[in-house]
Amino acid sequence: MIHVSAFSTVKNLWTFFWISDIDPSINSQDPNDLLVGLDKITPKDGGDTPEMAISGLRQALRDALPNSVAFLISDAEAKDYNLENEVAAMLSSKQTKVYFLIEESCQTFTQPGCKVYQNLARASSGQMLNVEKNKMR
């Protein structure tokens, strides 16, 4: 399960992006569309780890306006951590902050697929939070 949402604003124009590996993507100016997507998140033991989390973030950044805020919610480490430098450059050029909510699969940062979350949060002045599975809701 990977979910990436980005909030973009330019002159009071908000755009909400919802990118998911299980639901259709959403690009809307209605915040309720994003809330509906967030409400659907249910952590599951899908056995699909690691995930293409950074690719999802990269896609959201391609569509996002400058000065956005992105949220990435995942229950696994990133399989595509090799995209870290590319995504860090996109975060910098778009002046976008990213916040990661990672279910307890990343308790240590020795795995590159977990360390990438922490590195990108730091690079964007965002934050990475480990969340217990039963507290994700």
Side-chain angles (χ1 to χ4, degrees):
M1 167 186 69
I2 173 179
H3 301 278
V4 180
S5 36
F7 304 86
S8 300
T9 179
V10 173
K11 296 184 181 177
N12 297 324
L13 172 67
W14 286 85
T15 304
F16 301 91
F17 299 96
W18 175 257
I19 297 172
S20 170
D21 65 346
I22 57 173
D23 297 314
S25 296
I26 296 171
N27 183 342
S28 174
Q29 291 185 346
D30 183 352
N32 290 319
D33 291 341
L34 179 66
L35 294 175
V36 167
L38 289 172
D39 195 45
K40 289 181 182 179
I41 295 174
T42 304
K44 300 175 196 163
D45 291 325
D48 59 344
T49 62
E51 296 177 332
M52 300 295 284
I54 308 307
S55 294
L57 179 58
R58 180 176 61 180
Q59 182 60 48
L61 290 170
R62 285 181 180 147
D63 297 336
L65 298 171
N67 301 307
S68 298
V69 177
F71 294 86
L72 188 146
I73 303 165
S74 181
D75 62 353
E77 63 184 274
K79 180 190 293 188
D80 51 354
Y81 56 85
N82 60 307
L83 299 175
E84 179 179 340
N85 291 338
E86 178 185 348
V87 171
M90 292 174 78
L91 288 165
S92 178
S93 71
K94 291 247 181 164
Q95 297 181 343
T96 295
K97 289 184 181 186
V98 63
Y99 295 88
F100 296 92
L101 290 117
I102 308 300
E103 191 263 324
E104 40 193 33
S105 60
C106 286
Q107 292 298 318
T108 67
F109 297 104
T110 56
Q111 313 106 295
C114 292
K115 194 171 193 168
V116 66
Y117 298 138
Q118 187 178 45
N119 292 346
L120 291 174
R122 185 178 298 125
S124 70
S125 299
Q127 192 169 12
M128 185 210 158
L129 302 169
N130 273 311
V131 181
E132 294 178 35
K133 185 182 283 192
N134 60 354
K135 307 258 177 167
M136 186 68 92
R137 209 102 174 94

